[in-house]
Amino acid sequence: MTAIPWPTEFQELSIKITKRALHQFIKKMMANEYELHWRYDSNFIYLIIEFEDLVHELPFIRNDHFLTMTAKKLYVYDATLSDVLEHLLQSEKGTGIVKRMTEGPHYVTTYEHGDIASTVEIEGSEQGMANKNVPMIQYKENGKSLGPKTMINVMNLEINYILMELFEAMEVKNEEAMVEHKHRLKKLVNRRSQVEKLLKL
C-alpha cells in the first residue's frame, strides 16, 4: 500500500511530455501494478490511475507531438505517483510548485523549467500550535531571503492547507480547533498583506 497520510499538493502544474516520455511513464506505473485508463471530454484528456482504493486523474491538453499535463491544483495521495510526477517535473523541464507534508515541517519546492527555483520549509501545524512564540512560517533558501512573489505563493499554499483543517474541524464541531485555525488563518492573511505591499513599492 503506497497511500500517504497527507496528500502531496501540486500547484500551477505545467509539464510538456513527449510521447516517448509518456510511454515510459505508463510502463513504469503498470510495472508497479497500477491500472491505467483514458477518459476524454471537449477540453482535456484524462489519464485515470487506479491502485487498490486510490483513484487519481491527471489532466492533459493534446498537442501534435506531445501532451501537456496541466493543473491549477492536483492532490496526490500515493507516494509512488507523487515521486514519479516530481521526477517528470525535472526530466521534462516542467514548471510548478510541490508541497510535501510531514508530521513536522512541510516542504515547498518551486520548479521553473525543470530546475529547482526555491525550497522552503514551513513549520508544521502541530509544532506551531505547541509553541506560540515560534513564527508560523520560516522561509529558508540556502540561507538567503526569498523574494516577495515566492513568499506569497508559499503563503497561499499554507492558507489553503489551514482552510482544509478548518473545514474538517467544522465538520466534527471541534470548537477549540476551529478557534485555533481561525487565529492562524488571520495571522497568515495579515502577513500576506504585508508582503503584497512590497510588490507595490
Side-chain angles (χ1 to χ4, degrees):
M1 185 74 174
T2 58
I4 47 181
W6 302 279
T8 300
E9 181 178 337
F10 293 84
Q11 194 175 89
E12 303 297 336
L13 189 65
S14 179
I15 312 174
K16 291 182 179 179
I17 303 178
T18 62
K19 291 181 179 179
R20 181 174 179 274
L22 181 62
H23 289 156
Q24 290 177 339
F25 168 74
I26 291 173
K27 283 176 63 178
K28 185 170 186 177
M29 300 307 295
M30 291 182 69
N32 283 281
E33 300 185 353
Y34 289 76
E35 293 185 21
L36 282 74
H37 313 278
W38 291 99
R39 181 172 72 81
Y40 302 84
D41 65 20
S42 57
N43 298 314
F44 291 94
I45 304 170
Y46 297 92
L47 179 59
I48 302 171
I49 300 176
E50 299 183 28
F51 184 76
E52 296 184 359
D53 58 343
L54 294 174
V55 179
H56 293 88
E57 285 192 350
L58 306 182
F60 292 87
I61 297 175
R62 191 204 307 264
N63 301 282
D64 289 337
H65 302 292
F66 57 88
L67 295 177
T68 301
M69 186 188 303
T70 179
K72 286 288 184 184
K73 283 186 184 178
L74 181 67
Y75 295 96
V76 177
Y77 294 82
D78 180 277
T80 301
L81 180 56
S82 63
D83 289 344
V84 171
L85 288 179
E86 190 161 4
H87 176 73
L88 276 177
L89 265 172
Q90 299 175 59
S91 64
E92 300 304 304
K93 310 298 182 185
T95 298
I97 300 171
V98 181
K99 179 178 180 181
R100 290 184 179 270
M101 306 177 198
T102 70
E103 290 183 358
H106 306 322
Y107 298 94
V108 180
T109 304
T110 302
Y111 289 92
E112 292 182 3
H113 309 296
D115 296 325
I116 296 177
S118 67
T119 299
V120 180
E121 180 181 321
I122 303 177
E123 183 188 349
S125 59
E126 292 181 3
Q127 185 179 355
M129 289 171 64
N131 186 354
K132 302 296 190 295
N133 296 321
V134 177
M136 182 162 26
I137 296 183
Q138 298 174 350
Y139 300 96
K140 300 175 183 177
E141 185 189 1
N142 300 324
K144 299 179 181 179
S145 299
L146 298 179
K149 288 185 178 179
T150 302
M151 291 171 68
I152 287 175
N153 286 336
V154 173
M155 288 178 180
N156 287 337
L157 285 170
E158 184 69 358
I159 286 170
N160 290 338
Y161 181 68
I162 296 172
L163 286 172
M164 283 197 313
E165 289 185 318
L166 177 59
F167 178 74
E168 290 172 0
M170 291 172 66
E171 281 193 317
V172 298
K173 295 181 171 56
N174 186 334
E175 297 289 340
E176 184 178 351
M178 287 165 57
V179 170
E180 180 62 39
H181 295 326
K182 288 178 181 178
H183 175 70
R184 292 173 59 229
L185 192 61
K186 182 178 180 180
K187 286 178 63 177
L188 192 55
V189 169
N190 287 339
R191 189 172 297 179
R192 184 181 64 179
S193 297
Q194 293 173 357
V195 176
E196 286 175 339
K197 290 178 183 177
L198 294 176
L199 295 175
K200 298 177 182 178
L201 295 178

